[in-house]
Amino acid sequence: MINRLAKGLETVTFKLWLLFLLMSQSIYAIMQSYSIPRICQEAGGLQIFDMNPLGYTYEYAHKFLLQLSEEGYTLYLHVQLPLDILFPILNGLTGLSTFILLLRLYNKVKNTSASSIYSSFSKAALALPLVAMLFDYLENIMIFMMLSYKAAVPIILVYAASTFTIIKSISTLVFYIVVIAILLVNGAAWIRSRSKKEQTDGEFRD
């Protein structure tokens, strides 16, 4: 599956990456500026489940659902969750495209073939945004179920939702660390290639 995905993503362009980025961040901006603050306000200042990267306890979930007003339930169910259906896929495509473009840049700087896209490291990196996307959707399903139960939410449901949130957060964090690492490697490779070129040009002039 990863091989087929990698082969399909070889055609990713900067414009396509930019489109995914703008679409995902536009949705994220709407959530951050409108739906999330409104829901938090309707829950007495408590942060929504999605924005607790380290997870949450049953006590926290029960208190949140108990304090959440009817308007807050409506906002969560009919505004926040629908937005969060679009965001994971767009964010995942942005992450995949980012990695492909960075790897392509690295191959260009190192003057190597694109075959390294099929390396074990590349496959693992490509899997990270997919894992984050999958567990984001699983988290959303659990949140929908918790909102349906309201304050009578079963403890096992809360633990499952919290676990999905933690896995989503960890995979997202690791992916960004990998992206930063590739950027640093690209920068170092570019500096070395420039130094070699200057040394070669200097030898020819001599």
Side-chain angles (χ1 to χ4, degrees), residues 109 186-196:
V109 170
N186 277 345
W190 181 80
I191 291 172
R192 284 197 299 269
S193 67
R194 293 292 296 178
S195 298
K196 279 185 180 180

Side-chain angles (χ1 to χ4, degrees), residues 32-156:
Q32 286 290 340
S33 62
Y34 174 68
S35 58
I36 292 176
R38 287 282 306 278
I39 296 169
C40 291
Q41 184 180 354
E42 296 297 326
L46 293 178
Q47 191 62 264
I48 68 171
F49 299 118
D50 316 57
M51 301 304 291
N52 285 282
L54 299 179
Y56 33 85
T57 63
Y58 174 76
E59 289 73 22
Y60 181 90
H62 182 267
K63 184 178 180 181
F64 178 92
L65 294 168
L66 190 64
Q67 292 185 184
L68 189 62
S69 67
E70 286 302 319
E71 184 179 351
Y73 276 103
T74 300
L75 283 167
Y76 216 143
L77 285 169
H78 301 295
V79 179
Q80 175 62 23
L81 286 180
L83 287 171
D84 215 8
I85 290 174
L86 295 172
F87 178 74
I89 181 67
L90 291 171
N91 195 50
L93 289 171
T94 303
L96 290 169
S97 301
T98 299
F99 179 74
I100 292 297
L101 291 176
L102 287 175
L103 185 60
R104 193 181 297 162
L105 178 62
Y106 177 78
N107 289 332
K108 185 177 180 180
V109 170
K110 295 287 289 183
N111 196 25
T112 58
S113 69
S115 60
S116 59
I117 195 173
Y118 301 106
S119 68
S120 297
F121 170 78
S122 299
K123 291 176 184 177
L126 282 170
L128 285 171
L130 295 177
V131 170
M133 180 180 68
L134 171 63
F135 281 93
D136 200 345
Y137 281 124
L138 290 173
E139 173 196 47
N140 290 339
I141 292 170
M142 294 297 104
I143 291 173
F144 175 81
M145 294 174 67
M146 288 194 294
L147 292 171
S148 300
Y149 277 103
K150 296 189 176 181
V153 60
I155 189 169
I156 188 67

